[in-house]
Amino acid sequence: MRTLDGKPVTWRHATVPIGAALQIVPAFVATATEQDIEVDATVEAHYRPEAGRYLVSAVTARAVNPDGNVTSNVLRTVRVGEVLTAAVPRCITVEHEFFAHRATVDQLTTAEGRLIPEDFAAQARKAGPKPDTLELVQLIYSVAALAGVMPIKAVQDELGITNRTAVYWTTRARAAGLLDGITFPVGRKADG
């Protein structure tokens, strides 16, 4: 993860406020090695307020070894979305009691790959849509939406709640102003 001028991304680069408590890096360059096709995939993404999420503005693919060949078949297998999804948690910061400064979301992610530890999720389920719970919804929804992942599904899965409850809690978080600046393009409904 690098800034556009090539510096490693740190919490200090997160200068764009999102919602009530998050700040994000306005643009970044992320590189990941696609081992199965021996290609380094580099993605340049910029946060666009009108879209409410990161948009990819450039993608490059470079063969890992000198004898490699980046063919059209190889390009079709480069997983741009996965690179973006892996990079976004390093670009979002939150205030956290365990750190002397803002922390990136990837620093808070548990070993199981969860954003929210299960005991936090259990407390949220028990409390219902109270302010602390809605802050968790803000974090989960924002990370998912910025990464291009279905945010309601992420809220549902992280908190262990039904889809209907996730929609309701997200609606409450949006009404409280916690999701200002975050949108997610909803695709065509299955029946239409």
Side-chain angles (χ1 to χ4, degrees):
M1 291 287 305
R2 300 224 173 253
T3 61
L4 296 182
D5 59 359
K7 296 177 183 164
V9 168
T10 70
W11 64 271
R12 288 184 173 89
H13 294 107
T15 57
V16 177
I18 298 291
L22 305 178
Q23 289 184 301
I24 65 169
V25 176
F28 63 87
V29 176
T31 301
T33 301
E34 308 253 4
Q35 296 292 338
D36 54 332
I37 56 175
E38 297 188 1
V39 168
D40 280 342
T42 301
V43 173
E44 180 179 322
H46 299 259
Y47 174 73
R48 297 289 184 238
E50 65 279 2
R53 61 191 169 97
Y54 284 107
L55 299 180
V56 175
S57 59
V59 177
T60 57
R62 183 180 313 277
V64 173
N65 63 53
D67 298 327
N69 185 19
V70 180
T71 65
S72 60
N73 287 337
V74 168
L75 287 175
R76 279 194 282 280
T77 61
V78 172
R79 295 176 290 279
V80 174
E82 288 179 19
V83 176
L84 182 66
T85 299
V88 166
R90 294 175 174 88
C91 297
I92 303 171
T93 64
V94 295
E95 292 287 339
H96 196 277
E97 61 195 53
F98 299 124
F99 296 93
H101 53 75
R102 295 185 74 80
T104 60
V105 168
D106 73 306
Q107 291 173 308
L108 304 176
T109 303
T110 66
E112 299 82 34
R114 293 177 53 93
L115 288 176
I116 304 299
E118 177 51 41
D119 59 330
F120 282 23
Q123 290 172 13
R125 287 190 300 271
K126 185 176 180 181
K130 303 286 188 230
D132 287 346
T133 300
L134 297 181
E135 288 180 11
L136 292 177
V137 170
Q138 174 196 28
L139 176 64
I140 298 163
Y141 187 97
S142 298
V143 169
L146 288 166
V149 176
M150 301 296 286
I152 296 291
K153 178 79 169 123
V155 170
Q156 178 183 343
D157 292 347
E158 282 286 327
L159 296 177
I161 56 179
T162 66
N163 178 269
R164 183 177 179 164
T165 301
V167 168
Y168 176 66
W169 289 6
T170 300
T171 301
R172 296 277 308 264
R174 190 168 299 287
L178 297 174
L179 297 175
D180 291 348
I182 297 292
T183 58
F184 188 78
V186 178
R188 184 174 65 95
K189 292 184 179 180
D191 64 348

